[in-house]
Amino acid sequence: MDFTRKKYAELLVQLKRAGYGFITYSEYCSCPPQGRFVVVRHDVDLRPGYSLATAKIEHELGVRAVYYFRAVPESWDERIIKAISSLGHEIGYHYESLTTCNGDMKAAYSDFCKNLEQLRTLAEVKTICMHGSPRSPYDSKDLWKQYDFKDLGIIGEPYLTTDFSEMFYLTDTGRRWDGYKVSVRDKIEKWQEKWTDRGWTFHSTDDIIRALKENRLPTQLMITTHPQRWTDSYFAWTKELLAQKTKNIVKRVIAKR
Ligand SMILES: [Zn+2]
């Protein structure tokens, strides 16, 4: 079975074996290291308990990652945010202010500032990351066409401050590793075609593991997961599989518009 916590742990072990170091996103932004490294990013869209379970597995393996939390009750759990931070992981803000404020720039910026300040009472926050909101007409990254997150002491936003000419991006969006085909916003359009040309497309986690063993992956990686999709309970696993199948159909239609 794919998309289980066991399979995730296996992926981490194989990355370590292949010689990849693990750094947080803020570390990447302040000073990217030489050699092989991976930034493991988690978007906590919902079910924060699943993220805590993932954070513990990583901690056991000596891996540090970044967890982006949304300012909505289904993601924002203060006990869990503090617990994940205390395991040595980075905490960031998974913002969607332009969507929740219906495209009103001024209102969205003040909503963003308020939530950021609140999150900073729980953990240090140096980086932020857009929540894709596939059904919304607004792209929350557009906030930065008018405002500058650096004014707020933010040093990075994965979609805006990553050098994708050097770093290969993998995301489990759509509960598969080649979900860029169905994703509305979680994709790096400028580089995807070049990556595909190089044969860097993977469907299952085992496909990635195979590529690691065969030394077919580039030096710098960013791997994004949504921990709520990764479960070891068979019931929850089946439910998530069916829900994602339906969502992918809807997203494919929206992405084609
Ligand atoms: Zn998200």
Side-chain angles (χ1 to χ4, degrees), residues 13-27:
V13 168
Q14 291 302 335
L15 281 161
K16 285 177 82 166
R17 268 191 204 148
Y20 285 88
F22 291 80
I23 59 165
T24 64
Y25 191 60
S26 67
E27 283 166 346

Side-chain angles (χ1 to χ4, degrees), residues 41-46 68 70 94-96 129-134 159 173 186 224 226 228-229:
R41 177 184 128 200
H42 301 291
D43 292 354
V44 189
D45 285 355
L46 65 153
Y68 290 105
R70 298 167 67 197
H94 201 33
Y95 65 101
E96 55 198 301
C129 177
M130 158 211 73
H131 171 62
S133 318
Y159 295 103
T173 278
D186 184 16
T224 295
H226 298 76
Q228 80 268 9
R229 300 209 173 108

Side-chain angles (χ1 to χ4, degrees), residues 24-94:
T24 64
Y25 191 60
S26 67
E27 283 166 346
Y28 168 79
C29 294
S30 26
C31 185
Q34 297 286 310
R36 286 189 174 189
F37 68 85
V38 53
V39 174
V40 176
R41 177 184 128 200
H42 301 291
D43 292 354
V44 189
D45 285 355
L46 65 153
R47 293 191 210 120
Y50 283 56
S51 284
L52 181 57
T54 306
K56 285 178 179 166
I57 293 171
E58 289 165 341
H59 186 67
E60 291 279 307
L61 292 167
V63 165
R64 287 185 315 128
V66 56
Y67 286 81
Y68 290 105
F69 285 86
R70 298 167 67 197
V72 294
E74 61 263 39
S75 168
W76 187 288
D77 182 315
E78 303 202 343
R79 185 186 63 85
I80 289 176
I81 294 171
K82 284 184 189 163
I84 293 181
S85 168
S86 72
L87 290 170
H89 299 296
E90 180 188 353
I91 301 296
Y93 174 28
H94 201 33

